[in-house]
């Protein structure tokens, strides 16, 4: 059974590329373009994990992460953010994210983080 994950990023091109790669890895992927949209989807669907960008309109990833952690302390969350927001990624780890990957990233790096967080081999 494929793991169902929520991929959240406001940049459509990046969203599509990461979605394609995650699906190639065997994940079922649902997407959201803002933190608020992600929270709405989390309220009505069950996910095995979340891939979350930091900088987004309406509600950023850090704020969304805080809201997610109020209701679910265990769901795996990997932050995917630009290298200019390294501090935000470190803040996200402090607030409960499991891992982070800085854009642009190598697919092998993302794959390694996924294997660590989800305890799977791809």
């Amino acid at each position: 059974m494929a793991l169902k994950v929520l991929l959240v990023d406001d940049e459509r091109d990046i969203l599509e590329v990461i979605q394609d790669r995650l699906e190639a890895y065997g994940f079922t992927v649902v997407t959201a373009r803002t933190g608020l949209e992600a929270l709405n989807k989390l309220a009505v669907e069950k996910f095995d994990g979340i891939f979350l960008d930091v900088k987004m309109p309406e509600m950023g990833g850090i704020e969304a992460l805080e809201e997610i952690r109020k209701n679910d302390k265990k769901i795996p969350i990997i932050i995917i953010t630009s290298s200019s927001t390294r501090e935000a990624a470190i803040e996200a780890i402090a607030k409960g994210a499991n891992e982070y990957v800085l854009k642009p990233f190598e697919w092998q790096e993302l794959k390694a983080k996924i294997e660590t967080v989800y305890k799977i081999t791809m």
Side-chain angles (χ1 to χ4, degrees):
M1 182 164 123
L3 293 174
K4 181 179 174 184
V5 296
L6 179 60
L7 172 61
V8 189
D9 198 308
D10 62 317
E11 296 179 58
R12 187 177 308 275
D13 292 346
I14 292 173
L15 195 69
E16 289 174 1
V17 168
I18 296 173
Q19 179 179 4
D20 288 347
R21 186 54 65 108
L22 290 174
E23 287 173 348
Y25 288 157
F27 288 91
T28 299
V29 181
V30 175
T31 62
R33 303 276 312 274
T34 69
L36 190 55
E37 183 182 352
L39 293 178
N40 289 336
K41 290 188 178 194
L42 284 162
V44 297
E45 290 184 65
K46 178 157 174 35
F47 295 94
D48 298 302
I50 303 168
F51 294 84
L52 184 62
D53 187 23
V54 170
K55 288 191 175 185
M56 294 180 289
E58 284 184 20
M59 176 186 282
I62 300 296
E63 189 179 355
L65 170 66
E66 290 174 326
E67 290 300 313
I68 293 164
R69 284 295 182 231
K70 285 178 184 176
N71 298 314
D72 191 334
K73 305 280 189 223
K74 295 183 180 181
I75 190 168
I77 301 174
I78 297 176
I79 298 295
I80 300 177
T81 190
S82 68
S83 58
S84 64
T85 57
R86 176 183 284 278
E87 295 79 22
I90 293 168
E91 179 185 0
I93 295 292
K95 293 188 182 221
N98 298 81
E99 260 308 343
Y100 71 91
V101 180
L102 298 176
K103 296 181 212 172
F105 54 85
E106 297 293 325
W107 288 108
Q108 283 302 107
E109 178 186 7
L110 179 59
K111 181 180 175 190
K113 303 271 181 160
I114 291 168
E115 288 177 343
T116 299
V117 169
Y118 290 93
K119 296 174 179 47
I120 59 173
T121 302
M122 298 189 303

mmCIF file of all heavy atoms in Angstrom, residues 4 8 10 14 16 23 25 35 43 46 72 80 85 99 117:
data_model
loop_
_atom_site.group_PDB
_atom_site.id
_atom_site.type_symbol
_atom_site.label_atom_id
_atom_site.label_comp_id
_atom_site.label_asym_id
_atom_site.label_seq_id
_atom_site.Cartn_x
_atom_site.Cartn_y
_atom_site.Cartn_z
ATOM 1 N N LYS A 4 0.341 7.853 1.604
ATOM 2 C CA LYS A 4 -0.348 9.035 1.088
ATOM 3 C C LYS A 4 0.233 10.260 1.792
ATOM 4 O O LYS A 4 0.209 10.344 3.029
ATOM 5 C CB LYS A 4 -1.845 8.927 1.358
ATOM 6 C CG LYS A 4 -2.646 10.103 0.842
ATOM 7 C CD LYS A 4 -4.125 9.871 1.135
ATOM 8 C CE LYS A 4 -4.973 11.039 0.779
ATOM 9 N NZ LYS A 4 -6.383 10.818 1.161
ATOM 10 N N VAL A 8 3.056 20.510 -0.028
ATOM 11 C CA VAL A 8 2.602 21.894 0.064
ATOM 12 C C VAL A 8 3.694 22.838 -0.426
ATOM 13 O O VAL A 8 4.772 22.917 0.174
ATOM 14 C CB VAL A 8 2.222 22.263 1.515
ATOM 15 C CG1 VAL A 8 1.540 23.627 1.560
ATOM 16 C CG2 VAL A 8 1.352 21.188 2.153
ATOM 17 N N ASP A 10 3.854 26.762 -2.881
ATOM 18 C CA ASP A 10 3.099 27.740 -3.664
ATOM 19 C C ASP A 10 3.599 27.897 -5.095
ATOM 20 O O ASP A 10 2.918 28.481 -5.922
ATOM 21 C CB ASP A 10 3.089 29.116 -2.976
ATOM 22 C CG ASP A 10 4.475 29.708 -2.836
ATOM 23 O OD1 ASP A 10 5.406 28.963 -2.473
ATOM 24 O OD2 ASP A 10 4.627 30.918 -3.071
ATOM 25 N N ILE A 14 7.560 23.843 -9.164
ATOM 26 C CA ILE A 14 8.243 23.029 -8.157
ATOM 27 C C ILE A 14 7.301 21.961 -7.618
ATOM 28 O O ILE A 14 7.681 20.795 -7.462
ATOM 29 C CB ILE A 14 8.786 23.918 -7.024
ATOM 30 C CG1 ILE A 14 9.929 24.785 -7.568
ATOM 31 C CG2 ILE A 14 9.250 23.092 -5.831
ATOM 32 C CD1 ILE A 14 10.449 25.824 -6.616
ATOM 33 N N GLU A 16 4.823 20.507 -9.132
ATOM 34 C CA GLU A 16 4.637 19.437 -10.123
ATOM 35 C C GLU A 16 5.864 18.533 -10.215
ATOM 36 O O GLU A 16 5.727 17.307 -10.300
ATOM 37 C CB GLU A 16 4.320 20.050 -11.482
ATOM 38 C CG GLU A 16 2.932 20.672 -11.534
ATOM 39 C CD GLU A 16 2.650 21.417 -12.830
ATOM 40 O OE1 GLU A 16 3.525 21.446 -13.727
ATOM 41 O OE2 GLU A 16 1.544 21.982 -12.944
ATOM 42 N N GLU A 23 5.665 10.484 -6.681
ATOM 43 C CA GLU A 23 4.826 9.427 -7.257
ATOM 44 C C GLU A 23 5.686 8.332 -7.871
ATOM 45 O O GLU A 23 5.363 7.144 -7.759
ATOM 46 C CB GLU A 23 3.852 10.027 -8.266
ATOM 47 C CG GLU A 23 2.745 10.817 -7.583
ATOM 48 C CD GLU A 23 1.835 11.582 -8.527
ATOM 49 O OE1 GLU A 23 2.159 11.707 -9.731
ATOM 50 O OE2 GLU A 23 0.777 12.066 -8.055
ATOM 51 N N TYR A 25 8.470 7.433 -6.710
ATOM 52 C CA TYR A 25 8.953 6.699 -5.538
ATOM 53 C C TYR A 25 7.864 5.822 -4.936
ATOM 54 O O TYR A 25 8.092 5.095 -3.982
ATOM 55 C CB TYR A 25 9.459 7.656 -4.466
ATOM 56 C CG TYR A 25 10.773 8.365 -4.769
ATOM 57 C CD1 TYR A 25 11.084 9.549 -4.136
ATOM 58 C CD2 TYR A 25 11.707 7.851 -5.661
ATOM 59 C CE1 TYR A 25 12.272 10.212 -4.378
ATOM 60 C CE2 TYR A 25 12.897 8.505 -5.909
ATOM 61 C CZ TYR A 25 13.176 9.689 -5.266
ATOM 62 O OH TYR A 25 14.356 10.342 -5.512
ATOM 63 N N GLY A 35 -0.365 27.151 3.205
ATOM 64 C CA GLY A 35 -0.496 26.492 4.493
ATOM 65 C C GLY A 35 -1.945 26.342 4.910
ATOM 66 O O GLY A 35 -2.346 25.319 5.458
ATOM 67 N N ALA A 43 -7.834 18.499 7.654
ATOM 68 C CA ALA A 43 -9.050 18.395 8.462
ATOM 69 C C ALA A 43 -10.015 17.340 7.930
ATOM 70 O O ALA A 43 -10.835 16.822 8.688
ATOM 71 C CB ALA A 43 -9.745 19.755 8.530
ATOM 72 N N LYS A 46 -6.845 11.821 5.735
ATOM 73 C CA LYS A 46 -5.753 11.260 6.524
ATOM 74 C C LYS A 46 -4.519 11.112 5.635
ATOM 75 O O LYS A 46 -4.614 10.643 4.510
ATOM 76 C CB LYS A 46 -6.150 9.899 7.080
ATOM 77 C CG LYS A 46 -5.030 9.258 7.863
ATOM 78 C CD LYS A 46 -5.532 8.245 8.828
ATOM 79 C CE LYS A 46 -4.439 7.483 9.531
ATOM 80 N NZ LYS A 46 -3.238 8.181 9.856
ATOM 81 N N ASP A 72 -1.465 16.924 15.831
ATOM 82 C CA ASP A 72 -0.795 15.661 15.493
ATOM 83 C C ASP A 72 0.700 15.799 15.760
ATOM 84 O O ASP A 72 1.414 16.469 15.028
ATOM 85 C CB ASP A 72 -1.045 15.314 14.024
ATOM 86 C CG ASP A 72 -0.597 13.896 13.680
ATOM 87 O OD1 ASP A 72 0.303 13.356 14.353
ATOM 88 O OD2 ASP A 72 -1.148 13.329 12.719
ATOM 89 N N ILE A 80 10.758 21.573 2.952
ATOM 90 C CA ILE A 80 11.495 21.782 1.703
ATOM 91 C C ILE A 80 11.507 23.289 1.462
ATOM 92 O O ILE A 80 10.458 23.889 1.241
ATOM 93 C CB ILE A 80 10.834 21.055 0.523
ATOM 94 C CG1 ILE A 80 10.783 19.558 0.793
ATOM 95 C CG2 ILE A 80 11.596 21.341 -0.771
ATOM 96 C CD1 ILE A 80 10.073 18.748 -0.275
ATOM 97 N N THR A 85 16.538 30.497 3.246
ATOM 98 C CA THR A 85 15.752 30.404 4.476
ATOM 99 C C THR A 85 16.241 29.258 5.368
ATOM 100 O O THR A 85 15.454 28.600 6.048
ATOM 101 C CB THR A 85 14.244 30.242 4.171
ATOM 102 O OG1 THR A 85 14.060 29.089 3.362
ATOM 103 C CG2 THR A 85 13.677 31.459 3.487
ATOM 104 N N GLU A 99 12.623 16.663 9.439
ATOM 105 C CA GLU A 99 13.796 16.864 8.589
ATOM 106 C C GLU A 99 13.574 18.082 7.734
ATOM 107 O O GLU A 99 12.466 18.593 7.648
ATOM 108 C CB GLU A 99 14.003 15.666 7.659
ATOM 109 C CG GLU A 99 15.021 14.657 8.021
ATOM 110 C CD GLU A 99 16.421 15.145 8.330
ATOM 111 O OE1 GLU A 99 16.803 16.290 7.995
ATOM 112 O OE2 GLU A 99 17.156 14.362 8.923
ATOM 113 N N VAL A 117 13.124 9.341 7.542
ATOM 114 C CA VAL A 117 11.902 9.776 8.238
ATOM 115 C C VAL A 117 10.816 8.697 8.201
ATOM 116 O O VAL A 117 10.158 8.443 9.210
ATOM 117 C CB VAL A 117 11.387 11.104 7.648
ATOM 118 C CG1 VAL A 117 9.991 11.443 8.144
ATOM 119 C CG2 VAL A 117 12.357 12.233 7.962
#
